[in-house]
Amino acid sequence: MEPSHHRLQQVFPDPPPDIDLGTFKVDRLPGHVAVIMDGNGRWAEARQLGRIKGHSAGIRAVRELIRASNDIGVRYLTIYSFSTENWSRPVDEVQALMLLFAKTMAAELEPLYDEDVRIRIIGDISALPKRTANIFKQAVEKTCDNRGMTLTIAVNYGSRQEILQAARILVAKSLAAEVGAKDPGSLTAADFEACLDTHGLPDPDLLIRTSGEFRLSNFLLYQIAYSEVYVSPVLWPDFDRYELLRAILAYQGRERRYGGLR
């Protein structure tokens, strides 16, 4: 459902002077927004705090992002919470993150369920601590019949690993004659996409990265082939609903060409 301007004023009641809410095109809302949430550590270090304090502050920004996205009618939101490369961080930081994930999901599950949000997980959660993995599984099961916004959380996720695993699955299916009748030439992009973690989700229309970094960080490399990219200079804990609004307004000001000459 497209948001009305009255609804937008409720969601964004006090926009900064540089934002004209009247320029928001209610008919050009990105259907799928993906976010690389970066800058928690630098936010904490700038305040002479421990890194986990930055991650805790970042949870508030996650809540703000989810609520604002859902309120304005974004149908799909995908957030990059923990990458396969993040295991190389200090052990105490990883352990604290896993505990934070479990506590946050447990606290947020009922409100998200009540808001009709459907939760999906991409990545290999079998490697997570049991408590954390279980609460993520519980969230997926509890919200599977919801029909509102789909919130996809990328946990222990890496796009190269996803693509490699999809290739392995497709080869196995082909050898079993489930697809392609063992003829590689008959395999299609749809066959491959059905083997990705994101099967059933549309590709992101808008990819947001915070903290001013211009990297994709092994996130949805296949799926963002024609996504519009918006880089915000704001560190993740300071990313609020108005920064989301800035990203969407920037998206709406672009012409999507998909490789064409228009």
Side-chain angles (χ1 to χ4, degrees):
M1 181 182 297
E2 294 177 356
S4 67
H5 278 291
H6 176 68
R7 179 61 174 162
L8 289 172
Q9 290 168 353
Q10 291 179 320
V11 179
F12 305 105
D14 189 25
D18 64 302
I19 295 180
D20 180 3
L21 200 58
T23 64
F24 191 100
K25 302 178 181 67
V26 296
D27 60 343
R28 287 208 60 206
L29 188 70
H32 185 174
V33 177
V35 185
I36 301 173
M37 306 177 294
D38 189 26
N40 290 343
R42 276 167 285 169
W43 183 93
E45 290 165 6
R47 291 159 177 77
Q48 298 183 323
L49 300 172
R51 289 178 60 85
I52 194 58
K53 293 290 187 180
H55 295 307
S56 296
I59 292 297
R60 294 194 295 270
V62 173
R63 291 191 182 105
E64 177 98 343
L65 173 73
I66 294 171
R67 294 313 189 285
S69 298
N70 194 31
D71 286 347
I72 64 174
V74 171
R75 294 297 302 161
Y76 300 91
L77 175 66
T78 300
I79 57 175
Y80 202 9
S81 295
F82 191 85
S83 76
T84 49
E85 290 74 31
N86 287 156
W87 293 107
S88 64
R89 293 184 177 185
V91 172
D92 58 343
E93 181 179 351
V94 171
Q95 291 176 339
L97 271 171
M98 292 300 156
L99 180 59
L100 184 61
F101 289 156
K103 287 183 174 180
T104 301
M105 192 75 266
E108 294 295 319
L109 181 51
E110 286 298 331
L112 290 172
Y113 176 80
D114 291 342
E115 293 166 26
D116 204 28
V117 173
R118 179 186 177 214
I119 297 171
R120 283 188 57 166
I121 305 296
I122 59 174
D124 179 13
I125 64 171
S126 67
L128 304 184
K130 186 175 181 180
R131 177 185 176 187
T132 306
N134 284 344
I135 189 62
F136 280 131
K137 291 175 184 176
Q138 181 184 343
V140 171
E141 292 169 1
K142 183 177 180 63
T143 64
C144 65
D145 293 326
N146 284 358
R147 292 294 177 263
M149 183 180 76
T150 296
L151 169 64
T152 301
I153 306 172
V155 186
N156 194 24
Y157 171 86
S159 187
R160 286 181 173 180
Q161 292 84 344
E162 176 195 26
I163 291 169
L164 177 59
Q165 182 63 17
R168 289 169 173 161
I169 293 170
L170 188 57
V171 168
K173 286 184 174 182
S174 181
L175 291 175
E178 292 182 30
V179 296
K182 298 187 179 181
D183 176 12
S186 67
L187 298 176
T188 66
D191 292 328
F192 181 76
E193 289 161 8
C195 300
L196 292 168
D197 289 358
T198 54
H199 60 88
L201 295 174
D203 290 340
D205 298 294
L206 172 63
L207 172 68
I208 299 171
R209 175 155 194 155
T210 61
S211 84
E213 298 292 344
F214 290 80
R215 293 191 301 274
L216 296 177
S217 296
N218 199 18
F219 183 53
L220 301 179
L221 300 179
Y222 183 92
Q223 297 87 343
I224 62 171
Y226 286 104
S227 302
E228 295 295 325
V229 179
Y230 177 86
V231 176
S232 168
V234 174
L235 299 177
W236 177 248
D238 292 327
F239 191 91
D240 60 14
R241 63 186 54 216
Y242 295 104
E243 295 302 326
L244 172 65
L245 179 57
R246 285 190 175 93
I248 293 175
L249 288 173
Y251 165 85
Q252 292 182 341
R254 301 178 187 178
E255 181 183 1
R256 303 190 71 188
R257 300 188 179 186
Y258 301 96
L261 297 175
R262 291 174 296 165

